[in-house]
Amino acid sequence: MAAINWHAPWLASWRAVGEPAAHEVLAGVLQPDALNQVAQTLWPAPAQPPVRFVPQSDLPPGMAYEQYIFDSARCPTREGLHDFFNALAWLNFPHTKRRLNHLHVAQIAHSGIAPVRGPARDALTVFDENVALLRAPDALWEALAAKDWPQVFGPLRPLWAESSLVLFGHALLEKLVYPRKAVTAHVYRAFPATDSIADLDAWLAADLTAEKFAAKPFAHLPVLGVPHWWPANEVPGFYDDLGVFRAARVTAVAASK
């Protein structure tokens, strides 16, 4: 927890909620209790937070995690960064997290808990763990989806100033506590009315469907390549690393044409 750099640009939308909770955990408060304290400031009585954070041991043996949240409005929470950032997602994006929970439960009801998840539930998990939300002009989005890195970070670089990128996935945020050039997000294109997190949350909750997830509507982005997010990306040659900024695969059919 002490390693989190709350001044990192990718945590700009998380700091107001996350830093006080982290401070309490560092002071010795159990993580679920610290998160509940912050939740109560966001939803003062008689309002109710979207979930109550409880120790992982409260999850009944044999019960699916998502089903337990759906049934009880309680979120089992382990100590550590992974569940800490998951809890912050509940506090910052309550409508989106509730929508994801409902979609998970619907998929479980449809196909049960299987060793291999279907495409919709697999993409649901990817979204929850690793997605970044991008509002961007068409030209930038199309180049990003094509993995046209010379365009994305070359001639189209000024378009990042007209864009908004918000990291959502809790595993993605956890990885960036110790930033590495190769950390890559699955990017979902968003069209909120404004750049406010509340508007983005409301838009996402209305937009997400199992059908969209089944189509895996993601682009990919090494997030430390975002202009002004990492000093090293101003150095010539940063984007020439083909192990990170990989070109899109060309299918055998396309290559034969």
Side-chain angles (χ1 to χ4, degrees):
M1 204 69 65
I4 300 173
N5 175 13
W6 290 107
H7 296 281
W10 51 86
L11 290 178
S13 57
W14 299 90
R15 183 182 179 191
V17 172
E19 193 170 23
H23 184 269
E24 292 299 309
V25 173
L26 287 169
V29 178
L30 292 177
Q31 193 159 289
D33 295 338
L35 292 160
N36 286 327
Q37 288 176 23
V38 173
Q40 203 59 63
T41 68
L42 298 173
W43 288 274
Q48 292 291 323
V51 291
R52 178 169 180 79
F53 302 102
V54 298
Q56 180 71 19
S57 58
D58 282 19
L59 179 64
M63 176 170 278
Y65 168 84
E66 297 287 354
Q67 188 69 53
Y68 179 70
I69 294 174
F70 182 85
D71 292 342
S72 69
R74 296 182 178 185
C75 180
T77 303
R78 300 164 296 186
E79 301 294 322
L81 289 171
H82 190 83
D83 283 14
F84 178 76
F85 283 118
N86 180 57
L88 294 191
W90 274 104
L91 299 180
N92 269 343
F93 291 87
H95 300 295
T96 299
K97 287 292 285 185
R98 187 179 290 115
R99 176 62 175 157
L100 291 172
N101 176 247
H102 289 184
L103 288 169
H104 269 295
V105 170
Q107 290 296 309
I108 291 171
H110 180 263
S111 56
I113 302 295
V116 178
R117 296 171 173 167
R121 192 157 180 237
D122 180 59
L124 267 168
T125 302
V126 167
F127 188 102
D128 207 10
E129 296 270 350
N130 203 60
V131 90
L133 308 164
L134 179 65
R135 179 189 58 75
D138 289 345
L140 183 59
W141 172 259
E142 290 162 8
L144 181 66
K147 296 185 177 180
D148 188 348
W149 308 118
Q151 284 291 316
V152 168
F153 298 115
L156 299 181
R157 191 177 184 90
L159 294 183
W160 285 98
E162 304 174 25
S163 305
S164 175
L165 182 70
V166 176
L167 306 194
F168 176 89
H170 53 279
L172 177 62
L173 291 164
E174 179 188 18
K175 285 182 282 190
L176 284 167
V177 172
Y178 299 97
R180 293 180 298 106
K181 186 177 181 179
V183 173
T184 298
H186 289 73
V187 184
Y188 188 87
R189 195 178 186 189
F191 297 90
T194 72
D195 284 341
S196 81
I197 295 301
D199 284 345
L200 180 55
D201 182 33
W203 183 87
L204 276 171
D207 183 69
L208 299 178
T209 65
E211 292 74 22
K212 285 189 176 182
F213 279 122
K216 296 188 175 180
F218 304 122
H220 298 90
L221 173 66
V223 293
L224 296 183
V226 176
H228 309 300
W229 273 29
W230 195 243
N233 73 36
E234 302 286 346
V235 177
F238 180 86
Y239 299 105
D240 296 337
D241 185 347
L242 299 182
V244 174
F245 298 97
R246 301 175 182 174
R249 293 180 180 176
V250 179
T251 64
V253 172
S256 66
K257 292 182 179 181

